[in-house]
Amino acid sequence: MKNKEILTLALLIAVMPPAWAVLSPYMGISVGPIALICAGIYATNGNKFRNAHKIALGYLAGDIWALIAFEIMAHTPLNPDLTLFLTLAVFGFILVIISDRFKNIIHMPSWLTGWAIGMLTMNLDTTTPVLSLTVQIGVAMLAGVYYVGALLDKVHRMLNR
C-alpha cells in the first residue's frame, strides 16, 4: 500500500508542477517557480485544506508587503542600509502583531515567506513593471497553494482510495 502511495505521488509530482511550469508563461506569469515554493508551506502544514485560505491570504499579504517595502526603499533619500533595516524592522514587527491578532484568518509563516519571495523577486527582476510583477507573484502563490498543493493532494488521496 505504501508503494502505491509513493508511486501515485511521484506520478502527480512528475505531471502537475511541470504542467504549471510550461503553461504559466502562456498566462503571462514569468515567475512560475514561485508556485513550487509556496506549495512547500502548504505541504509542510500537513496538506490541510481547511488552512489553505489562511496560507493563501498570508502569501498575498506578503506580496503586498513586499511591494510597499520595495516602494519605500526605492523612494527614501536615507542611507540604503538604514532604510532597509528600518523597513524590515518596522514591517516585521507589524506583521507579527497583526498575524498573531488574526491567526484564524492569516498564516504568519506564509506571510513572512511571501514577503521574502516578493522582495527577492522584485529586486532581481528589474525589467518587469513592479505592479505587473506583484500580480504575477500573487497568481503564482495562489497556484502553489491551490493547484500544486491542494489539488495535487486531493487527486493523490482519490487515487489511493
Side-chain angles (χ1 to χ4, degrees), residues 107-131:
H107 187 248
M108 185 190 316
S110 64
W111 191 350
L112 288 165
T113 304
W115 182 24
I117 290 168
M119 287 186 66
L120 176 65
T121 306
M122 290 172 193
N123 283 312
L124 290 177
D125 183 342
T126 57
T127 60
T128 306
V130 73
L131 284 176

Side-chain angles (χ1 to χ4, degrees), residues 3-15:
N3 284 342
K4 179 184 176 187
E5 288 180 24
I6 294 297
L7 288 175
T8 55
L9 180 60
L11 177 66
L12 290 169
I13 293 291
V15 173

Side-chain angles (χ1 to χ4, degrees), residues 77-145:
L78 297 175
N79 173 289
D81 291 335
L82 179 60
T83 301
L84 175 63
F85 178 83
L86 290 174
T87 302
L88 294 177
V90 171
F91 276 43
F93 180 86
I94 294 169
L95 182 158
V96 170
I97 299 301
I98 291 172
S99 60
D100 180 67
R101 177 105 166 102
F102 298 101
K103 62 179 135 244
N104 293 332
I105 299 170
I106 196 159
H107 187 248
M108 185 190 316
S110 64
W111 191 350
L112 288 165
T113 304
W115 182 24
I117 290 168
M119 287 186 66
L120 176 65
T121 306
M122 290 172 193
N123 283 312
L124 290 177
D125 183 342
T126 57
T127 60
T128 306
V130 73
L131 284 176
S132 172
L133 195 54
T134 301
V135 171
Q136 290 181 51
I137 292 167
V139 170
M141 289 173 166
L142 293 176
V145 173

Side-chain angles (χ1 to χ4, degrees), residues 27-78:
M27 295 184 279
I29 308 297
S30 65
V31 292
I34 288 173
L36 304 178
I37 298 166
C38 294
I41 292 250
Y42 178 82
T44 301
N45 193 52
N47 290 319
K48 297 175 190 157
F49 187 75
R50 69 180 177 271
N51 292 333
H53 308 311
K54 286 179 15 173
I55 293 169
L57 183 58
Y59 282 133
L60 295 178
D63 189 23
I64 292 166
W65 223 233
L67 173 64
I68 296 167
F70 178 86
E71 291 297 331
I72 288 171
M73 291 183 289
H75 297 98
T76 302
L78 297 175

